[in-house]
Amino acid sequence: MATSTTEAPTRHSITATRPLLGWRTVDILTIAFLGAAFGVAFWGWGIFYNGPITALKIGYAPLMGLFTGPWLLAGVVGGLVVRRPGAALFCEVVAALVSMLPGTEWGATVLVSGIAQGLGAEIAFALLGYRFFGVGAAALAGVLSTPLEWLFETVKFPASWSGPPVLGILADGGGWYAEWGIGDKLAYLATMAVSGVVLAGILGWLLTRALARAGALSAFPPGQELRESHAV
Amino acid sequence: MVGTRGRVEVSGLTWRPFGRREPVLRGVDLTLEPGERVLLVGPSGSGKSTLLRALTGLLGSVEAGELGGAVTLDGAAPGSRPGAVGLVLQEPGAGVVAATVGRDVAFGLENTGVERSAMPGRVAAALRAVELGDLPLDTPTSALSGGQTQRLALAGTLALDPALILLDEPTAMLDPGCAAEVREAVAALTADKGPDAARTLVVVEHVLGPWLELVDRLVVLSSDGEVVADGPVHDVLAERREELLAMGLWVPGAPAPEPLAVDATLLDPAHLDPTRSTMAAAPFSVERTTRRLDGTTRTERAAALDDALDARPGTLTALVGPSGAGKSTLLSALAGFLTSTPADAVRVGADPGSADPASLDARTLAGAVAWVPQWASSTMVARTVLDEVLVTARALGRDDTAEVPRARALLGALGLSHLERADPRELSGGEQRRLAVAAALHHGPPVLLADEPTVGQDRHTWAAVVGLVAAYRRAGGAVVAATHDAAVVARAEVVHQVTAPTRPAALPPARSPLVARCGPLALLTGALLGIPAGVLSPHWSTSLAVLTVQVVLAVVGLSAPGAGAPPAGRLRTVALRTAPGLLAALSVGWSTWWLAGHDVDAALTVSLRVLVIVVPSAVLVPWVDPDRLGDHLAQRLGLPDRPVVAVAAALQRVHTFGAVWSEIGRARRVRGLGVSARHPATVLAHVSALTMGLLVRTLRAAAELAVAMDARGFATAQRRSWWAPAPWRARDTLLVALAALPLVAAVTVR
């Protein structure tokens, strides 16, 4: 087969085989295994992670948002590797499930966080029509992984809701950081977003490329992109 | 002996994976008659495994490439009937799908929608056919030996009544005893030659001798991927003997290959002192504590060294014994990766001044000991072959100008010069094995610990590894090797027989806590109900009331009425899981106090909110059984079958991922790549290397398993049946109702 080398490189990424929803067995298993491996890695990182985070909580707590990126990697990498609708969400949820079973400091909420984060990354890939998977797309997926999670952690239902019959039960309830001032909450969103772009998006893109170079993605579009860039 | 099915026709089969210039298979024509038993051989890299994948109809399912020609089984595409082609992979466990034996064999039946009531009979028959009929169906697949695991894989294919069975080096990773078991099972299958029961068999192997009586025909592939010989097995063997030997195949009757001549000065004797003892160990044992997914732990004796060991310069000490006796575990303890009992039994370095290897920092350890694990590929630490050899010398701060030429010469002696700039992970298994030994020895460590250095290797790699180790001994190195290889044992000065420690009899099952008698969905729902209960608590006074209800419920739920021994470790499990939550509560409370104007009320509110959310998880989640979770998610919640099965398969391998993580960590440590909290760059390098290594191994495992699962009808499993039912019982409803009480309290007490 003659591989065309005269064409200028297109801006489109190589997409998954059609139909996009036709998940192959290797797609499903790869996402499940990647998610489980990230779940295991989450524990491992926890050892290294607890130090700086605890220090920041004693100082200015919203800065800990800078360290949230790694927990968003599963969704970004899952989406970048398999490139099918649902891959990012599936991967992040499996990672959350695996890290939840042996026990984490956040209990069953990691499952909710997994959905919130994975959904964000999924929205990013969907906005791009599952056609673009470059570093920009990865950064978008990383940054969009954060707002829902931020909302979940900082939501505060107003006390004024105590009047209406249904909303009443929500009044004054909220997430972990419900009692922070709005300025601190927004600072937290900003640090999360930065971390999402750098530690989830760009790092996830680099990780995917490194996996392709290690020959681990030959069945997937990133492996194919690597081969085409090397084709002589 | 002419059967009625299992006729294979391959015509003009050509396959070139994208990214390679040359095809792996080139115009292969082959016709296999029903019931024929064929041995397929060829040099490493000749496309034998690729041809097997083509016969399953799965070529291209996990690797992209250019395919030409045609393959048919009884006139149709091989994949057209799920399970018509059975495939057993080289690595035991690569195709294991489920946590128990019965369920694993039933996997193909589930995929083809067989009624649950019909499954046990077919599963039992398949297990009997491979001589595993005595195993209870609920035996954990992780408790099987390598040989049993390979026979289990065979049983899994038999359940679907295949017309063609393909075995891809099924015994290459097994010790001689286990390998013989597998061959006996294959012999039993193929001996049954009723016209309807006949099955065509294709075996890929590079140790020919033991298979000769089991096959009729020998097909030889060349390194170019062409069929170069094909005929009755003894004729081909006689005519092509020299050619087969040159391919590196183990031909029966041929003497062991001559070890490669390696110049001992390449192994840096300047750093070896041939007059002093370098490693000594008093008798010791190794206790292994396994932490299960549910957080409980179990400690048992994993291995024992019965006689004192003294690795003197220039000697080879062999550890021999059956699989599972703990030889690898002993090597890990000798390298200081595992703690010995009594502590301090192992000493490395010259006496006086010897030290416990576990107490050494990475660089000192690397200077005292080298270690080559059985799976060399997972422990490569560098990006190029040359760098891989130089890693330790560089970590020890040696000057490249002297080290690089010696590394190059070493690679040259092993026939790896042309790969100097290649990525070590892209090498073949044999090349990786040679590289791993060279990289371990290049910096001149006084002791080499080698785990099965020759297993599964062809004659070329065998000669290279044995020659390299001989040169190292001439230079003054001491070798301790775990091995089954009689030719290696014959070269040893001292042989330690390792026997498996007797394991304490399994305790009678303890009473289970009330919560453990509930289904996984009820447990998860109960855990999740903590979230709204916490979120809806507006003030710490409410949270305190809610928390009280939760604690009362926890005490009830964890009680274990009934006969039998009380369950151990309930409180510990819950306390371990609540501890991080307490930490989180403290830190969330602190940050709120700090940021919300030193408001104690607000801080207490969020702190208790965290506890309300976390406590139900700590009490309930430990009892979720991952295997049953899959059953329930698919059958009760109606989640799509295939993703659920994939997640269940991943979950039951999570413990192996943990093992990979620590193995890579050990490989880095013994190569001198340490971690120091004072140098953040080393922490970063360590974490990224572990993550990367884990992901690569995981992705390979997923690709292997995908092939094994598709060969058992998973690709087309749109409407599966299930081996195990997923009942929702009254107790599940009760649990959910009780778990909702704190939420009710949160809404009403406010």
Side-chain angles (χ1 to χ4, degrees), chain B residues 180-239:
Chain B
E181 285 172 12
V182 172
R183 281 190 303 269
E184 278 162 27
V186 174
L189 287 184
T190 48
D192 172 18
K193 288 247 177 178
D196 295 328
R199 296 187 169 99
T200 309
L201 174 74
V202 181
V203 185
V204 169
E205 264 296 345
H206 58 237
V207 184
L208 311 190
W211 291 94
L212 295 184
E213 295 313 308
L214 296 179
V215 299
D216 319 306
R217 180 172 163 192
L218 183 60
V219 175
V220 184
L221 285 180
S222 69
S223 55
D224 297 333
E226 288 172 301
V227 175
V228 289
D230 180 1
V233 59
H234 291 284
D235 296 358
V236 176
L237 209 52
E239 287 161 20

Side-chain angles (χ1 to χ4, degrees), chain B residues 165-178:
Chain B
I165 297 179
L166 310 172
L167 309 177
D168 192 356
E169 303 198 30
T171 60
M173 296 192 181
L174 303 179
D175 67 69
C178 285

Side-chain angles (χ1 to χ4, degrees), chain A residues 154-164 167-174 178-179 185, chain B residues 535 538 750:
Chain A
T154 60
V155 68
K156 161 94 179 180
F157 302 110
S160 58
W161 281 5
S162 53
L167 288 180
I169 61 160
L170 290 173
D172 246 353
E179 309 299 328
K185 287 183 181 176
Chain B
V535 168
R750 51 205 283 132

Side-chain angles (χ1 to χ4, degrees), chain B residues 620-640:
Chain B
L620 298 175
V621 172
W623 312 103
V624 173
D625 176 343
D627 228 31
R628 285 168 68 200
L629 180 63
D631 287 328
H632 285 251
L633 287 177
Q635 296 178 69
R636 285 274 139 211
L637 290 191
L639 294 188

Side-chain angles (χ1 to χ4, degrees), chain A residues 23 25 28-30 33 45 48 57-58 61 101-102 105 108-109 168-176 210 214-215 219 227, chain B residues 18 62 426 535-536 538 577 580 587-588 590-591 609-610 613-614 617 642 646 683 687 691-692 698-700 706 710 747 750:
Chain A
W23 285 67
T25 299
I28 302 177
L29 278 173
T30 295
F33 275 53
W45 295 340
F48 300 98
K57 277 182 182 164
I58 296 168
L101 289 180
E105 53 193 305
T109 59
I169 61 160
L170 290 173
D172 246 353
W176 313 125
R227 283 192 298 270
Chain B
F18 291 146
V62 297
E426 297 276 305
V535 168
L536 297 184
R577 281 152 181 270
S587 75
V588 167
W590 166 268
S591 70
R609 185 176 283 160
V610 172
I613 291 175
V614 170
S617 303
R642 296 208 304 150
V683 176
V687 170
T691 306
M692 189 66 195
T698 304
L699 288 165
R700 298 242 156 95
D710 276 347
V747 175
R750 51 205 283 132

Side-chain angles (χ1 to χ4, degrees), chain B residues 633-712:
Chain B
L633 287 177
Q635 296 178 69
R636 285 274 139 211
L637 290 191
L639 294 188
D641 289 356
R642 296 208 304 150
V644 166
V645 171
V647 172
L651 281 178
Q652 61 104 7
R653 283 170 191 237
V654 161
H655 65 276
T656 67
F657 297 174
V660 169
W661 180 273
S662 53
E663 188 180 68
I664 300 168
R666 289 166 179 178
R668 288 177 59 81
R669 180 169 138 73
V670 79
R671 301 291 306 280
L673 303 172
V675 194
S676 161
R678 281 196 301 269
H679 300 100
T682 64
V683 176
L684 198 64
H686 191 68
V687 170
S688 31
L690 291 182
T691 306
M692 189 66 195
L694 175 67
L695 291 177
V696 169
R697 269 280 280 271
T698 304
L699 288 165
R700 298 242 156 95
E704 285 269 285
L705 186 60
V707 171
M709 284 169 76
D710 276 347
R712 291 162 75 185

Side-chain angles (χ1 to χ4, degrees), chain A residues 55-230:
Chain A
L56 283 176
K57 277 182 182 164
I58 296 168
Y60 185 62
L63 279 179
M64 73 195 179
L66 289 174
F67 291 84
T68 50
W71 317 108
L72 314 172
L73 266 177
V76 175
V77 173
L80 288 180
V81 169
V82 168
R83 306 192 174 178
R84 294 186 191 278
L89 177 62
F90 183 16
C91 198
E92 186 72 42
V93 169
V94 173
L97 182 71
V98 167
S99 66
M100 176 185 84
L101 289 180
T104 71
E105 53 193 305
W106 309 113
T109 59
V110 295
L111 203 53
V112 179
S113 294
I115 294 170
Q117 296 162 2
L119 206 56
E122 193 64 52
I123 289 169
F125 291 120
L127 284 176
L128 298 172
Y130 299 99
R131 287 197 300 162
F132 300 94
F133 296 90
V135 66
L140 183 67
V143 73
L144 288 190
S145 300
T146 58
L148 287 173
E149 173 67 17
W150 171 79
L151 197 65
F152 173 60
E153 291 182 23
T154 60
V155 68
K156 161 94 179 180
F157 302 110
S160 58
W161 281 5
S162 53
V166 179
L167 288 180
I169 61 160
L170 290 173
D172 246 353
W176 313 125
Y177 307 119
E179 309 299 328
W180 289 2
I182 185 69
D184 294 323
K185 287 183 181 176
L186 286 177
Y188 184 43
L189 177 61
T191 56
M192 282 174 89
V194 170
S195 186
V197 168
V198 178
L199 293 184
I202 298 175
L203 191 64
W205 182 78
L206 288 172
L207 187 60
T208 307
R209 212 179 51 160
L211 287 172
R213 291 196 170 152
L217 298 179
S218 58
F220 300 94
Q224 202 179 337
E225 277 170 2
L226 183 81
R227 283 192 298 270
E228 303 216 338
S229 70
H230 283 224

Side-chain angles (χ1 to χ4, degrees), chain B residues 332 337 371-384 387-389 391-392 423-425 432-433 435-437 439-440 449 451 659-673 689-690 692-694 696-697 700:
Chain B
S332 293
F337 303 143
W371 173 69
V372 181
Q374 194 168 352
W375 314 128
S377 64
S378 63
T379 50
M380 298 289 168
V381 297
R383 289 293 175 77
T384 71
D387 287 341
E388 181 70 34
V389 178
V391 160
T392 314
D423 188 324
R425 292 164 300 197
Q432 282 179 339
R433 169 56 46 136
L435 174 61
V437 179
L449 303 172
D451 197 352
V660 169
W661 180 273
S662 53
E663 188 180 68
I664 300 168
R666 289 166 179 178
R668 288 177 59 81
R669 180 169 138 73
V670 79
R671 301 291 306 280
L673 303 172
L690 291 182
M692 189 66 195
L694 175 67
V696 169
R697 269 280 280 271
R700 298 242 156 95

